[in-house]
Amino acid sequence: MVASSRPSRQTNIALLVLLSGAFVTGWLAFGVESSPGSLAVSITHGILGLGILVLAPWKSVIVRRGMRRRRRHAAAIAFSLVVMVTLLSGLVHATLGPVEIAGVNVLAVHVASAVAAVPFALLHVVRRRQRLRATDVSRRTALRALAVGGASALVYGAVESVSTGAGLPGARRRATGSYEVGSGVPAAMPVTQWFTDGVPRVDVTAYELLVGGPDASTLRVPYRDLLAMAGTTRATVLDCTGGWWAEQAWRGVPLDALLGTPDHGSIVVRSVTGYTRLFPAEDASALLLATHVGGAPLSPGHGAPVRLVAPGRRGFWWVKWVEEVSVDPRPWWSQSPFPLQ
């Protein structure tokens, strides 16, 4: 395809749609762990992002024409650079693996630049409003959208084929986009936590788990009692939103052994740091309060003395340094999709 010397205003609208879609699917990918859902979201995210590159020749004509006008371009230039960093870092992560730049994971660069692009995008839309017209919803527009989508899908397929043919790390990434690190070797797993948390030091000799029942009663379970109850072992994959995954054998106490299966509300799991997540009441039997991983007690970085194992959920659901589990009348979906604390 050859870029027209007078590209349509529809190019800007298409780019806005692609940027919005890529942003939404990027965050959605953080929340979906199970396949084929995670694979569908990951592929859609990749195609939308590459669609921006497909439209780059048309956009470059618009940019060159705009630069000849007397107006301030600093914000627009910054917006373009941030988007370029976002696309490049995403492409590097998808093909070359968990590369680090100056000690910073390239996936973190991808996420940070995507977030940084949002205020620039809003400012750009306000300054250069593109009003929808009747001609924007037409057969010709639909055919152009199909052409862009098809070209983007072809580019995505080409990138995947090159990764596979060249034996790049990207060919071995999970459906979520994560790479295997430390399966069966807990000490090799990265130590990560939510960005507002640090690694606390919990005195196991004084540690007690608070268990709040539906009748508002609270039990205190000493660590030694939890160890005596920890007879269940489950091989489960921890898939972190930091871009890595590992399968480990976790040993601990099923949550329903402490709380039963509540018939209403949700299960609240709270960390000593204040980090909190709510779970559906029916998940009580699937959730595990782990005291051991790989046959050894948890290390502080991996959640000692007790952490939650939440099969089928991304890493930010796996609450570390658990201080309290309880039943809450609120529905689990009333919380923010991603932690705010």
Side-chain angles (χ1 to χ4, degrees):
M1 290 185 288
V2 179
S4 168
S5 60
R6 298 292 294 178
S8 170
R9 50 179 288 282
Q10 292 175 348
T11 298
N12 286 331
I13 297 175
L15 284 170
L16 178 61
V17 171
L18 290 170
L19 283 167
S20 301
F23 185 82
V24 170
T25 53
W27 285 106
L28 185 59
F30 276 172
V32 180
E33 197 275 341
S34 59
S35 186
S38 57
L39 181 60
V41 172
S42 179
I43 291 175
T44 303
H45 180 65
I47 291 175
L48 289 171
L50 291 173
I52 298 171
L53 293 180
V54 169
L55 288 178
W58 283 264
K59 183 61 177 177
S60 66
V61 176
I62 298 173
V63 170
R64 288 197 300 270
R65 191 170 66 232
M67 292 295 288
R68 293 195 292 266
R69 299 173 183 171
R70 292 184 177 180
R71 59 169 64 171
R72 295 178 180 178
H73 301 293
I77 293 172
F79 181 32
S80 299
L81 292 175
V82 171
V83 171
M84 288 173 58
V85 171
T86 304
L87 294 173
L88 181 59
S89 56
L91 191 58
V92 169
H93 176 78
T95 55
L96 302 182
V99 177
E100 289 193 354
I101 300 174
V104 179
N105 187 289
V106 72
L107 181 59
V109 175
H110 179 65
V111 174
S113 55
V115 172
V118 172
F120 286 112
L122 294 175
L123 180 62
H124 196 72
V125 169
V126 170
R127 287 183 172 180
R128 296 169 173 80
R129 294 181 181 180
Q130 302 289 337
R131 295 183 178 179
L132 292 176
R133 302 173 182 173
T135 54
D136 292 332
V137 184
S138 64
R139 182 173 177 272
R140 176 176 294 182
T141 300
L143 290 175
R144 287 175 176 172
L146 286 174
V148 172
S152 303
L154 287 174
V155 174
Y156 181 88
V159 171
E160 292 297 307
S161 297
V162 169
S163 294
T164 301
L168 297 179
R172 299 185 295 275
R173 71 186 189 278
R174 205 163 180 251
T176 57
S178 298
Y179 293 86
E180 189 276 328
V181 180
S183 288
V185 186
M189 284 197 306
V191 173
T192 58
Q193 57 275 331
W194 199 243
F195 69 96
T196 57
D197 272 349
V199 178
R201 293 286 175 174
V202 182
D203 182 3
V204 296
T205 61
Y207 173 84
E208 291 181 325
L209 175 69
L210 302 178
V211 181
D215 58 354
S217 62
T218 301
L219 297 177
R220 294 179 176 270
V221 184
Y223 181 60
R224 62 179 179 275
D225 291 351
L226 286 174
L227 292 179
M229 298 170 64
T232 300
T233 300
R234 295 175 183 167
T236 306
V237 170
L238 167 57
D239 193 327
C240 182
T241 52
W244 61 271
W245 68 270
E247 184 175 15
Q248 308 290 357
W250 306 88
R251 190 171 91 229
V253 184
L255 209 56
D256 60 348
L258 296 169
L259 287 176
T261 302
D263 57 6
H264 69 283
S266 60
I267 297 169
V268 181
V269 182
R270 182 165 58 87
S271 169
V272 298
T273 65
Y275 184 92
T276 305
R277 298 305 289 163
L278 277 67
F279 297 83
E282 59 269 23
D283 284 4
S285 61
L287 299 173
L288 184 75
L289 288 174
T291 57
H292 292 70
V293 59
L298 295 169
S299 65
H302 290 140
V306 178
R307 78 170 300 164
L308 186 71
V309 172
R313 295 180 181 271
R314 298 302 298 273
F316 66 87
W317 291 92
W318 294 47
V319 182
K320 292 183 176 181
W321 316 294
V322 176
E323 178 181 61
E324 181 179 5
V325 294
S326 60
V327 178
D328 193 284
R330 294 173 296 169
W332 71 273
W333 44 261
S334 64
Q335 67 187 327
S336 168
F338 297 98
L340 298 178
Q341 64 269 57

